[in-house]
Amino acid sequence: VWAGAVDESAATMSYDEFARQFLAELDYDSERVNLQEVHKSSLDPKAPYAKRNVVIPKVYEDLCTKKVITMTYLPGPKLEEEAKRQLELLGIDTSKGIGNIVRDAAKDASDPSEPESGELVRRVTKKLDVTSRSPFTWKVAASKIAGRIFGVDSLLWAFRFARRLLLWSQAASVACIQVTPRILLPSSWESWADGHRTAAAQAERLSLTEFWLDALFDVHGHQIFNLGLFNADPHPGNILVIEKDCGTPTNKLGLIDYGQVKRLTPTEQTQIAKLILSVANDASDVEVAGAFRDLGITTKHDSTVFLAKFARLMFGPLKPEHMDHEWHREMHAQDRVLYFPKELSMVYRTSLLLRGLAVSLQMNYSVSDQWKSHAEEALQRSTASTPN
């Protein structure tokens, strides 16, 4: 607002939406009702919860108060702790905290040139400084070249595969050392084996990541487009990894903390579904921009190209050009957002947190592809309910 990048009244409406959602975290009665509604919906055999091994805890209403919510105990650590282990296995520094890593990854997936902390309103309305330049390093240059040649998906897959291969080779070496008579082994080999006894378990942990992410995208897509009630704050601290009795993680997840939720009307579900499908189906710029405009977004120049690029950046896969500062400078030079629809704000925030978690774990997810089937169902319901 101070820099003249966004109209003050438009910014106030967007900030008010975030303020309402954050304040909802303090209303335990509302959270209890939300959790009961989501739990009930999770029992529907047509919902993806059972198929994806996702559990929503049951509320014990007689044991709840205005300050306490009593629910089913779910054994296991928060995904935040498991994600920390996974990131460290991938050689990523976790000293600044998982929350910051996920937010940074979400921010980078949308605009790696953005120096802010990743708040949605600032990101979509900020006027980029066209005189600024990203610092040049050989790592940045190399990643851009490799991304263009091989693609982001291939690079991330190769990185994860190499790490998993290394862990399995270490596990095989440990097994060989363990069956070899100690008299034949140098003491340094035994010490090395002792330090790598968990290599097989670590490789298994890495293999669980894709199960978890597929489940999270599927369940949240169902909540948005079918239930019309979804957790707008799905950070790793609100996700539990259900463990076996021995403490080994499984592919089962538990979802908690439904204080900060967003409700969508059938009309809003349909409009958002059309935008998601236009991106997923790689529709023309005119179609994508039209679906975006139908949601009420306004920009200074009403540029069709800008709106289409922005929608694909929000809900499509991370592409090599998205890592290029120049691409973002050109996009910001085309147009800038004056009003971002509040009904889409929390949907976008949810997708950013989920995609940020995926990118931080070296996986590239297209939100529109993950939510396509749910968006199609929403559109079919809308068509069926429309009078002939």
Side-chain angles (χ1 to χ4, degrees):
V1 175
W2 175 80
V6 56
D7 178 75
E8 185 172 1
S9 60
T12 299
M13 285 187 284
S14 293
Y15 282 123
D16 284 347
E17 176 65 18
F18 281 99
R20 282 193 295 272
Q21 296 299 327
F22 291 139
L23 288 174
E25 289 270 19
L26 306 176
D27 187 345
Y28 277 25
D29 280 338
S30 177
E31 180 175 352
R32 173 181 52 77
V33 172
N34 295 334
L35 186 55
Q36 286 175 311
E37 187 172 342
V38 176
H39 171 74
K40 182 179 178 180
S41 74
S42 72
L43 303 179
D44 183 350
K46 296 180 181 179
Y49 298 90
K51 179 183 70 174
R52 293 295 189 179
N53 262 349
V54 173
V55 180
I56 306 296
K58 177 184 177 180
V59 173
Y60 292 89
E61 192 165 2
D62 292 344
L63 301 176
C64 293
T65 70
K66 290 185 177 296
K67 295 183 178 180
V68 175
I69 299 178
T70 306
M71 65 189 80
T72 309
Y73 171 69
L74 301 179
K78 294 179 179 179
L79 183 58
E80 187 170 21
E81 298 170 31
E82 186 59 36
K84 183 175 185 293
R85 295 192 191 101
Q86 296 264 5
L87 292 171
E88 289 171 349
L89 289 178
L90 293 168
I92 297 172
D93 180 18
T94 62
S95 59
K96 65 178 181 178
I98 301 302
N100 286 329
I101 291 174
V102 170
R103 283 191 293 271
D104 288 347
K107 174 190 69 179
D108 293 344
S110 294
D111 186 351
S113 65
E114 174 60 76
E116 304 288 344
S117 64
E119 279 289 83
L120 172 66
V121 176
R122 286 203 298 268
R123 179 163 53 253
V124 300
T125 61
K126 185 177 185 295
K127 184 177 181 180
L128 191 67
D129 181 2
V130 297
T131 63
S132 65
R133 297 282 180 178
S134 294
F136 179 86
T137 67
W138 69 270
K139 290 183 179 180
V140 172
S143 64
K144 288 180 181 179
I145 294 172
R148 290 193 181 99
I149 296 174
F150 302 108
V152 176
D153 288 343
S154 297
L155 285 178
L156 294 179
W157 177 86
F159 185 82
R160 291 183 59 79
F161 177 77
R163 184 58 185 166
R164 195 150 41 216
L165 186 63
L166 175 61
L167 288 170
W168 281 120
S169 65
Q170 289 175 346
S173 298
V174 169
C176 290
I177 291 173
Q178 288 175 334
V179 299
T180 302
R182 297 184 66 179
I183 194 172
L184 301 178
L185 295 173
S187 59
S188 60
W189 286 26
E190 292 184 62
S191 298
W192 181 89
D194 287 339
H196 293 80
R197 289 183 186 278
T198 61
Q202 291 174 351
E204 287 288 353
R205 286 179 183 274
L206 282 179
S207 67
L208 288 172
T209 305
E210 190 170 354
F211 287 104
W212 294 335
L213 289 170
D214 285 345
L216 289 172
F217 274 101
D218 195 9
V219 166
H220 283 85
H222 171 80
Q223 291 179 355
I224 291 168
F225 294 105
N226 290 275
L227 183 59
L229 170 68
F230 64 95
N231 187 352
D233 191 29
H235 63 76
N238 288 338
I239 304 165
L240 301 178
V241 177
I242 308 301
E243 291 185 331
K244 300 177 183 177
D245 292 339
C246 60
T248 303
T250 67
N251 63 354
K252 180 178 287 189
L253 297 175
L255 303 184
I256 60 174
D257 193 353
Y258 277 81
Q260 192 180 141
V261 303
K262 175 67 178 176
R263 293 180 182 271
L264 297 173
T265 67
T267 298
E268 291 168 345
Q269 287 176 307
T270 300
Q271 291 176 326
I272 296 172
K274 288 179 180 179
L275 178 62
I276 292 292
L277 289 174
S278 69
V279 175
N281 295 331
D282 198 22
S284 67
D285 285 359
V286 172
E287 291 179 78
V288 176
F292 216 159
R293 290 189 184 101
D294 288 343
L295 276 161
I297 191 171
T298 57
T299 65
K300 184 177 181 180
H301 304 299
D302 195 29
S303 168
T304 293
V305 173
F306 172 84
L307 287 171
K309 277 186 178 181
F310 187 27
R312 293 188 178 106
L313 179 64
M314 289 166 58
F315 297 116
L318 181 62
K319 295 184 177 181
E321 58 264 31
H322 298 161
M323 296 184 286
D324 188 345
H325 182 66
E326 188 62 30
W327 185 88
H328 288 275
R329 293 200 320 123
E330 292 175 358
M331 177 180 167
H332 280 265
Q334 288 177 327
D335 210 341
R336 57 190 171 94
V337 176
L338 298 178
Y339 171 70
F340 193 87
K342 66 179 187 300
E343 60 269 24
L344 186 59
S345 296
M346 304 314 287
V347 173
Y348 183 30
R349 184 173 190 269
T350 297
S351 73
L352 275 175
L353 287 171
L354 293 176
R355 187 161 72 161
L357 177 61
V359 171
S360 69
L361 292 170
Q362 311 296 300
M363 300 187 73
N364 184 21
Y365 275 71
S366 166
V367 177
S368 60
D369 288 346
Q370 293 294 313
W371 288 351
K372 182 177 179 179
S373 62
H374 298 296
E376 288 174 338
E377 290 178 12
L379 213 55
Q380 289 168 3
R381 287 197 308 274
S382 174
T383 302
S385 63
T386 302
N388 293 329

